[in-house]
Amino acid sequence: MPENDTRKRHIVLNSHPSGGHTPDRIVWGAADPKTRGPVICSVSDARRRNSIGAHSGSYALYRALAVAAGSLSALHRPDLTDTAPAIGLGPHPQWSKPERIVSLDPWGHRVGEVFADAIEQGADVRPTIAVTRARLTVPELAQEITSGRLVPDGEILLASGEVNVTKVAIEPVWHLPGIAARCGIEESALRRHLFEQTGGMFSELVTRPDLHVFLPPIGGVTLYIFGDLDAITDPNRKLACRVHDECNGSDVFGSDICTCRPYLIHGIDICIRTAQTGGAGLIVYNRKEGRALGEVTKFLVYNARKRQAGGDRAEAYFERTECVAGVQDVRFQELMPDPLHWLGIRRIDRFVSMSNMKYDALTRQGIEIVERVAIPDALVTAEARVELEAKKAAGYFTEDAVPTEEDLAGIRGRGLEDY
């Protein structure tokens, strides 16, 4: 059998440990990383794999295509030289509370450091989190600088309109017992349905009960942090936060059927202003397109809503979604607090969201929310008003969140009174 032939590795993956080799144990929630153990999920290290799935989420399929095409070796291991985090993060107390973090590896950005011995001994341990520094260019912010609404400070907001941020990419790493407990289901049921609903893609979910960690083939989370990172956990300084679920049509291309980009930009604005006054701002960007139903489903629902008798109406908004998808929403915000726990957050002073689902998920996990900030009415287009009214009627949104006079001043500063 050729050296790069993967058939033998697949046989090993689908069976119990053989050849006298026991995979490295993972003690989820252990305070010491060496006690916790590394997450090993690379196919180049089949006998030592202690996790189900593959690194890089859905991108693993592109990697498979590259291997099949002969442009990538199946046995390639990444050279992690100079890839360490651009800035230190953690550890925080929540890292050693297994019920607080169930969907990511808190040590995922420091594997080259804390698991150096295992890597030296041949273990293929790979990062699942990366931390870097970057600049954002957001056209709407330039308008606010011109109007005098935002004033460049030279550190956070530059005169060019660019914004300095710390940027964190997180791949999902699911601790199956913790996921099941968080969602109030049996682990066995979770494993079975994950196996069935992925078409049997991961047989180890049902054949390897000794493996409790799963790297699912889905998108991850990106964090954008504004200001001093120490302010995030300092009770004497304020933290503003928007948790935003992906909407490619609005976020990137400016579609006006929803409020996603306007609310995201409003969140960035508040994050910058909070950071400029000595606090910090945080945008949590989740890859959950179309309420995690997908963009194809979302566009089908758009068509159904617009073609129904009487046109697009708030009272039929979720009915048309259920007709196509069978459910209103599958985002399951229960897992959403994990990145905030990873950052050590205990309190959010200004939560830029009207979502009761997000609010409830955070407060159930012990994160205090002082104030909820609504999207100013001037940012809601005529097309998007149907969605907003439907969510309010369904209990998705709170009526209590209101923008402050300062928030409204920013809208006026951008000339959006008649948006």
Side-chain angles (χ1 to χ4, degrees):
M1 183 180 295
E3 183 183 42
N4 65 349
D5 193 318
T6 60
R7 286 175 293 173
K8 187 173 182 179
R9 287 197 295 278
H10 290 168
I11 292 171
V12 173
L13 298 185
N14 293 331
S15 63
H16 281 71
S18 60
H21 187 90
T22 302
D24 299 58
R25 185 184 178 207
I26 297 177
V27 182
W28 197 264
D32 175 59
K34 294 186 184 301
T35 301
R36 201 296 302 272
V39 171
I40 303 175
C41 201
S42 49
V43 296
S44 64
D45 208 358
R47 291 190 305 163
R48 295 191 65 169
R49 278 172 56 98
N50 58 12
S51 306
I52 303 166
H55 285 287
S56 301
S58 58
Y59 292 102
L61 303 180
Y62 290 103
R63 186 171 63 238
L65 182 61
V67 172
S71 59
L72 174 65
S73 169
L75 302 178
H76 171 74
R77 294 191 181 193
D79 178 356
L80 300 178
T81 303
D82 293 333
T83 62
I87 190 167
L89 281 170
H92 295 290
Q94 292 94 322
W95 293 20
S96 57
K97 296 180 179 179
E99 74 282 2
R100 286 293 185 238
I101 297 180
V102 299
S103 63
L104 61 88
D105 175 9
W107 300 99
H109 59 312
R110 295 176 57 181
V111 297
E113 169 196 349
V114 298
F115 301 122
D117 291 346
I119 294 172
E120 182 67 25
Q121 294 168 12
D124 190 357
V125 187
R126 304 191 181 191
T128 55
I129 299 176
V131 183
T132 190
R133 295 282 296 168
R135 287 183 181 176
L136 305 183
T137 300
V138 181
E140 289 90 336
L141 298 183
Q143 300 174 22
E144 297 197 21
I145 292 174
T146 299
S147 70
R149 150 77 170 159
L150 281 177
V151 179
D153 56 84
E155 292 186 9
I156 298 166
L157 180 64
L158 307 183
S160 63
E162 295 173 300
V163 186
N164 283 320
V165 297
T166 299
K167 188 162 62 172
V168 183
I170 302 175
E171 292 178 1
V173 178
W174 286 9
H175 181 239
L176 295 174
I179 295 277
R182 180 81 63 85
C183 296
I185 56 180
E186 294 293 329
E187 183 186 350
S188 59
L190 174 62
R191 285 174 171 268
R192 183 177 74 254
H193 289 297
L194 285 171
F195 172 71
E196 293 174 353
Q197 295 300 315
T198 57
M201 184 181 294
F202 304 102
S203 60
E204 293 158 301
L205 287 166
V206 292
T207 65
R208 294 293 302 275
D210 59 310
L211 301 183
H212 297 288
V213 173
F214 174 46
L215 276 62
I218 59 175
V221 181
T222 307
L223 310 179
Y224 296 87
I225 305 169
F226 303 75
D228 183 2
L229 268 70
D230 290 338
I232 291 176
T233 55
D234 186 340
N236 297 313
R237 294 196 274 178
K238 290 189 175 182
L239 173 66
C241 174
R242 169 149 181 85
V243 176
H244 190 91
D245 294 326
E246 178 182 31
C247 178
N248 183 65
S250 178
D251 296 344
V252 179
F253 294 99
S255 172
D256 65 354
I257 198 170
C258 62
T259 59
C260 295
R261 181 179 174 89
Y263 217 164
L264 176 60
I265 300 302
H266 192 55
I268 291 173
D269 172 274
I270 291 174
C271 284
I272 291 172
R273 287 192 283 112
T274 304
Q276 287 182 320
T277 56
L282 171 65
I283 301 292
V284 180
Y285 195 89
N286 296 296
R287 291 328 190 279
K288 294 179 180 177
E289 179 68 58
R291 299 199 294 279
L293 297 167
E295 202 163 32
V296 169
T297 295
K298 183 164 74 171
F299 288 7
L300 293 174
V301 171
Y302 284 168
N303 288 342
R305 283 168 48 193
K306 293 175 180 179
R307 290 170 177 165
Q308 64 189 336
D312 196 6
R313 309 186 313 278
E315 62 270 22
Y317 179 89
F318 286 114
E319 176 187 341
R320 299 312 302 151
T321 302
E322 289 190 66
C323 287
V324 177
V327 65
Q328 293 182 6
D329 194 320
V330 292
R331 284 177 290 181
F332 284 97
Q333 301 291 0
E334 283 81 359
L335 305 183
M336 176 268 291
D338 285 20
L340 285 83
H341 286 316
W342 180 71
L343 289 170
I345 292 172
R346 298 179 183 275
R347 187 191 73 213
I348 298 171
D349 295 280
R350 304 201 73 196
F351 185 51
V352 190
S353 173
M354 297 164 66
S355 168
N356 289 328
M357 294 174 66
K358 294 174 183 176
Y359 175 88
D360 292 343
L362 289 167
T363 55
R364 277 197 300 264
Q365 281 291 302
I367 296 176
E368 178 190 0
I369 294 178
V370 178
E371 176 190 2
R372 301 168 73 176
V373 182
I375 182 171
D377 192 63
L379 293 181
V380 182
T381 67
E383 285 282 321
R385 196 160 296 281
V386 171
E387 178 193 51
L388 197 66
E389 293 304 319
K391 288 183 175 180
K392 285 182 180 179
Y396 264 62
F397 282 1
T398 181
E399 296 286 356
D400 298 330
V402 294
T404 66
E405 178 57 35
E406 187 180 7
D407 298 330
L408 294 174
I411 300 304
R412 291 191 286 270
R414 279 185 266 168
L416 298 173
E417 297 89 335
D418 301 316
Y419 190 91

